[in-house]
């Protein structure tokens, strides 16, 4: 079964600073990967998804970008953080080569922008 | 448009009583339906899913869900609630318009509070 790692677990950053959050997946190859943001402990907003290396689809226009430099690595970035970027960021993965179509989630990164 | 609704922001139940967390959906075609649970400051954990087959699906931690096509519902149930079941629950449906992407449409979540 696949394991999804995210780091850092928590991050406090000043407004205007850059951001880099990393997600890596073990136990599968060529997964579909997703970045979500969860504000105020409630609904999930899909930010980006990727069906392969270098293939990124953005769901909402915003201050963030994503990259997939390797098969099992997904990075969320920003050049200049805004207060509204605060939230809980979750990475998810659907593994290839299995019958299940289930998204599995990482442990998340809590980002606070001050 | 495809959508998922969880009509209750919060469900309160006493420990030992049965619990139900409601979910209704709107999709074209046959739905792929999922339930996830989230504990505070944690990622989502997969509980169960319906793809095809028996309408009653059994999942982790004693949870089950019943797919009802005529009512377009997929309610989550457990015969006897535990205090440790207290968490945020999400229902989701596969975005069938872009099925090769694996994208999910999530409900807004229901907080389950189980009191001793």
């Amino acid at each position: 079964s696949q394991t999804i790692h995210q780091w850092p677990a928590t991050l406090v950053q000043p407004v205007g600073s850059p951001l880099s959050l990393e997600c890596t997946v073990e136990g599968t190859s060529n997964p579909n990967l997703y970045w979500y943001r969860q504000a105020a402990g409630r609904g999930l907003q899909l930010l980006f998804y990727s069906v392969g290396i270098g293939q990124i689809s953005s769901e909402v226009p915003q201050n963030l970008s994503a990259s997939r430099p390797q098969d099992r690595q997904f990075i969320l970035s920003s050049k200049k953080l805004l207060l509204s970027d605060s939230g809980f960021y979750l990475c998810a993965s659907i593994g290839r080569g299995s019958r299940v179509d289930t998204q599995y989630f990482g442990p998340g990164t809590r980002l606070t922008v001050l | 448009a495809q959508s998922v609704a969880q009509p209750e922001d919060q469900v309160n139940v006493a420990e030992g009583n049965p619990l139900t967390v409601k979910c209704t959906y709107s999709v074209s075609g046959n739905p792929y339906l999922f339930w996830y649970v989230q504990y505070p400051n944690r990622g989502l954990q997969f509980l169960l899913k319906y793809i095809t087959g028996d309408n009653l699906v059994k999942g982790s931690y004693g949870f089950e869900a019943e797919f009802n096509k005529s009512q377009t519902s997929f309610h989550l149930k457990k015969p006897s609630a535990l205090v440790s079941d207290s968490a945020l629950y999400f229902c989701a449906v596969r975005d069938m318009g872009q099925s090769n992407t694996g994208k999910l449409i999530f409900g807004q979540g229901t907080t389950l509070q189980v009191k001793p």
Side-chain angles (χ1 to χ4, degrees):
Chain A
S1 63
Q2 58 183 312
T3 302
I4 302 164
H5 302 280
Q6 289 187 245
W7 63 88
T10 60
L11 191 59
V12 180
Q13 292 284 95
V15 170
S17 64
L19 172 73
S20 181
L21 302 182
E22 188 164 347
C23 169
T24 59
V25 181
E26 292 180 353
T28 188
S29 60
N30 196 23
N32 280 7
L33 297 173
Y34 309 85
W35 276 114
Y36 291 88
R37 177 169 58 204
Q38 185 178 30
R42 295 302 296 199
L44 296 165
Q45 180 185 35
L46 179 62
L47 303 175
F48 302 94
Y49 68 93
S50 172
V51 298
I53 296 175
Q55 300 179 61
I56 308 295
S57 297
S58 175
E59 286 293 290
V60 292
Q62 57 202 321
N63 186 43
L64 301 169
S65 62
S67 62
R68 185 170 176 175
Q70 299 181 48
D71 180 42
R72 291 173 291 170
Q73 183 185 32
F74 203 23
I75 297 173
L76 184 68
S77 303
S78 174
K79 292 182 179 179
K80 289 185 178 181
L81 283 168
L82 305 173
L83 286 174
S84 57
D85 291 324
S86 293
F88 193 48
Y89 288 82
L90 291 160
C91 178
S93 168
I94 292 180
R96 298 288 190 192
S98 66
R99 295 179 58 249
V100 296
D101 297 302
T102 304
Q103 281 191 26
Y104 291 96
F105 285 77
T109 295
R110 173 75 60 190
L111 172 65
T112 303
V113 182
L114 301 175
Chain B
Q2 301 178 96
S3 65
V4 175
Q6 294 181 241
E8 302 154 316
D9 282 344
Q10 182 159 327
V11 170
N12 298 310
V13 64
E15 188 174 31
N17 283 1
L19 69 88
T20 299
V21 183
K22 295 180 180 178
C23 172
T24 59
Y25 65 89
S26 175
V27 297
S28 55
N30 295 319
Y32 290 3
L33 294 156
F34 302 81
W35 274 103
Y36 290 86
V37 60
Q38 185 182 31
Y39 296 96
N41 295 309
R42 304 287 293 276
L44 275 66
Q45 295 179 35
F46 168 69
L47 281 177
L48 51 79
K49 68 179 180 182
Y50 172 83
I51 303 296
T52 187
D54 285 343
N55 290 342
L56 185 63
V57 180
K58 294 188 182 296
S60 306
Y61 312 120
F63 283 94
E64 58 189 27
E66 186 168 11
F67 170 64
N68 187 317
K69 189 171 183 178
S70 63
Q71 298 186 8
T72 62
S73 67
F74 190 55
H75 301 331
L76 182 70
K77 300 181 180 184
K78 188 173 183 181
S80 178
L82 300 172
V83 172
S84 58
D85 292 330
S86 299
L88 182 59
Y89 290 80
F90 289 99
C91 180
V93 66
R94 172 67 60 82
D95 185 340
M96 302 308 283
Q98 303 181 59
S99 58
N100 64 320
T101 67
K103 287 169 55 180
L104 294 176
I105 300 168
F106 281 90
Q108 284 303 299
T110 298
T111 298
L112 173 65
Q113 190 75 253
V114 181
K115 298 187 177 181

